[in-house]
Amino acid sequence: CPAPSTKSREGTRDRRVAEARKVAARTRFLAVSATMPPKADKKGDGDAKMDDAALKALDEKKVEKKEDKPVDPVVLAMTEMKNAMLTIEKAVSTKESRYMSRVIRQVTKLRRMLSKPVLTKTVETYISADSAVREQIVGFLAGFADEKMQVDTPAAHPAAAKDEPAEKTEEEKTKEKEEAVWVRKMQGLPEAEIFVQLLFTIVLLDKKKN
């Protein structure tokens, strides 16, 4: 076997030296990478912090809303009463009996809400002041025992208690005027007066049973 030439031996040695240098460089790079802390994604961290803050603020707002706005049973009952009166108005204007049937079905829900304060407010709102029916119902209600209604009212903040009530906006004033016109219209409907009499009769029957 012929001996390798000097030039061949030198080429082999140079390749080995080059490969050794590559291995050493790769090793140093891996060692430095392992000791360096991971680079934080500033944008991602910022977004995460903003999301957490937004969720926390939303939760606090929900809790505050629940605490500051308790459900007043009288207000709730009068809202249902207004819905019934709106249906009566639609039944009268369209002359369709199905709307009046819907009102009768609403009586079941209203029956559980009826009380002396609710009936008093209903009579004052939907029966005309010069009506004999109103005078009779008010006279009967005067003989009813006062009912203690559990209405949760939030404690007024010391600073907020001193604040003067905010002036009503033009939109709120317009809504109040429209509401007053609608109430006067309902006071002129015999159907509305008869419905109030029906509710009062139901209350009398319930009190007789108890």
Side-chain angles (χ1 to χ4, degrees), residues 41-172:
D41 186 359
K42 294 183 179 180
K43 185 176 180 181
D45 292 344
D47 291 342
K49 291 179 180 179
M50 289 180 64
D51 291 342
D52 293 341
L55 290 173
K56 186 177 180 181
L58 183 61
D59 292 339
E60 292 177 353
K61 188 175 181 180
K62 288 181 179 179
V63 173
E64 184 180 355
K65 185 176 180 181
K66 291 180 180 179
E67 292 178 351
D68 294 346
K69 292 186 177 181
V71 179
D72 187 336
V74 176
V75 174
L76 185 62
M78 292 307 298
T79 301
E80 292 296 329
M81 192 73 67
K82 183 178 180 180
N83 292 335
M85 291 296 178
L86 286 169
T87 308
I88 291 175
E89 180 188 21
K90 197 167 186 178
V92 173
S93 61
T94 60
K95 295 181 174 59
E96 294 187 18
S97 59
R98 60 190 178 95
Y99 291 115
M100 196 57 72
S101 299
R102 185 182 301 174
V103 175
I104 299 302
R105 290 195 296 270
Q106 288 179 271
V107 171
T108 303
K109 186 175 182 180
L110 280 170
R111 186 173 190 168
R112 298 193 297 267
M113 301 178 176
L114 294 178
S115 61
K116 182 178 179 180
V118 172
L119 280 173
T120 302
K121 194 169 183 64
T122 300
V123 170
E124 293 174 352
T125 304
Y126 297 109
I127 298 183
S128 178
D130 57 356
S131 172
V133 174
R134 174 170 175 167
E135 185 178 352
Q136 291 175 357
I137 295 178
V138 170
F140 275 109
L141 289 174
F144 285 5
D146 292 333
E147 301 175 18
K148 295 181 179 180
M149 303 188 69
Q150 296 180 355
V151 181
D152 297 329
T153 53
H157 194 276
K162 298 179 182 180
D163 295 339
E164 296 181 358
E167 187 177 354
K168 295 180 180 179
T169 62
E170 291 298 327
E171 184 179 357
E172 290 174 342

